[in-house]
Amino acid sequence: MNILGIESSCDETAAAVVKDGTVVLSSIVSSSHDLHNQFGGILPELASREQLFFMLPVVQQALQKAFPKEESIKTALENNIDAIAVTIGPGLIGSLLIGVETAKTLSLLTGKPLIPVNHVLAHPYANFIKSKRAQGPTFPAIALVVSGGHTELFLMKSERKMHWLGGTIDDASGEAFDKSARLLGFGNGGGPAIASAASTHNIQHSTHTLHLPRPLLYNETLNFSFSGLKTALQRAWNKQENTQETAAMFSYEIQEAITDVLVFKTLKAAEKYNAVSILLGGGVSANQRLRDKFIQTDSNYSFYFPPLELCTDNAVVAALYAYYHQSPHNYREISASPSLSIEISS
Ligand code: KG4
Ligand code: ZN
């Protein structure tokens, strides 16, 4: 079964073809990230204008790459695609509309069924693609979704059953990385800039004077809170001489604080629900320190981290999610849903 995935929830325009929920035949991602850099954050209007421009060429490229022998995009779709998966939310309304309306038009013209996708729930499905590991995730599993807009924990009893356990009550972990990066003078470099500066900090040989809190660590719930961390970082930074060395030390400590909380709470959820696997997804799951901390825990869980190119937004995860949640819809039943709920129980 071949699914064409389409994703445009934030500033990426992406299309992919995935076979049988495991093999990626093509994945094309066009990002307007660099364009937004000059404005200090994502401008929704600009993002959707870019997506309007790139959506059809991205879909075209994904189909061409997956089915190079087909004469046209029309025949590539008609002869090979079984369903079209599209992110309907959560996300920016202008951006979502581009992907949703494109998918609806393709469905109307070809008669292919449409499968609506929840972007946040789709992220951990990056771990289901065929990899060098003999076995895919086993259940029950805990899925941690860590992105620019979300930090959520889910219990997965099977590939199809997801139950929301808790999430951030304010900023997301990716947002904490992004705001810290701006504060420390790394512009819109976000998590990757913090990770890179942190790696230059030598804890043994430099004075490490910053100790940030680990918010909600021992709180009963499986919720997170990251907005206080940013404020604490800002207060300390304002009192400090701002050099490259101190920026590296601050980057190290903010990364430690965020990753400590993510690992601790995820393990707490895993213990509570007798999980055997832990799956990560979303942009922050690319963070090497986070991955290392999970692996270094003294536990028997099997850890699954997506390939780096499938951590940040892409259409492969939309197609994968659709494969496991096949709920074909007529194009009339589908619409963009910017505040689509993630607090599900299936
Ligand atoms: O999943 P994603 O591409 O977009 C959303 O759905 O929000 O995640 C983007 C987030 C950004 O906040 C970015 O700073 C963060 O993922 N990120 C990282 C790393 N790579 C991306 N955070 C920490 N370390 C990284 N290596
Ligand atoms: Zn995302």
Side-chain angles (χ1 to χ4, degrees), residues 236-303:
W237 185 242
N238 290 344
K239 289 187 202 148
Q240 186 87 28
E241 195 194 343
N242 302 161
T243 63
Q244 205 178 344
E245 211 170 88
T246 51
M249 188 256 282
F250 273 54
S251 297
Y252 178 88
E253 180 61 14
I254 187 81
Q255 181 174 255
E256 289 303 300
I258 295 171
T259 51
D260 275 352
V261 178
L262 292 175
V263 172
F264 188 87
K265 287 263 164 162
T266 307
L267 293 183
K268 185 175 167 179
E271 196 184 345
K272 186 168 175 190
Y273 292 96
N274 294 319
V276 290
S277 307
I278 291 179
L279 280 59
L280 264 58
V284 179
S285 65
N287 188 276
Q288 193 56 46
R289 183 70 177 137
L290 178 65
R291 292 175 176 221
D292 290 345
K293 276 188 183 170
F294 271 117
I295 292 165
Q296 285 158 12
T297 54
D298 186 20
S299 65
N300 292 321
Y301 303 115
S302 301
F303 294 105

Side-chain angles (χ1 to χ4, degrees), residues 9-10 12 119 123 146-150 173-175 177-178 189-192 195 255 282-288 311-313:
S9 60
C10 193
E12 268 86 22
H119 173 69
H123 265 304
V146 272
S147 70
H150 288 270
S173 49
E175 205 174 343
F177 272 112
D178 295 344
Q255 181 174 255
V284 179
S285 65
N287 188 276
Q288 193 56 46
C311 291
T312 45
D313 289 347

Side-chain angles (χ1 to χ4, degrees), residues 157-227:
K157 286 195 180 154
S158 73
E159 288 95 341
R160 289 171 181 81
K161 290 197 162 173
M162 285 182 98
H163 176 79
W164 182 78
L165 300 174
T168 183
I169 56 169
D170 43 52
D171 288 358
S173 49
E175 205 174 343
F177 272 112
D178 295 344
K179 288 177 175 170
S180 303
R182 264 180 234 127
L183 180 76
L184 300 179
F186 303 131
N188 287 325
I194 294 283
S196 153
S199 70
T200 66
H201 174 62
N202 188 329
I203 187 131
Q204 264 95 40
H205 296 111
S206 61
T207 38
H208 188 85
T209 50
L210 180 67
H211 295 284
L212 293 171
R214 272 46 175 171
L216 298 190
L217 198 63
Y218 297 111
N219 175 277
E220 283 290 283
T221 68
L222 291 170
N223 289 334
F224 303 88
S225 165
F226 293 106
S227 69

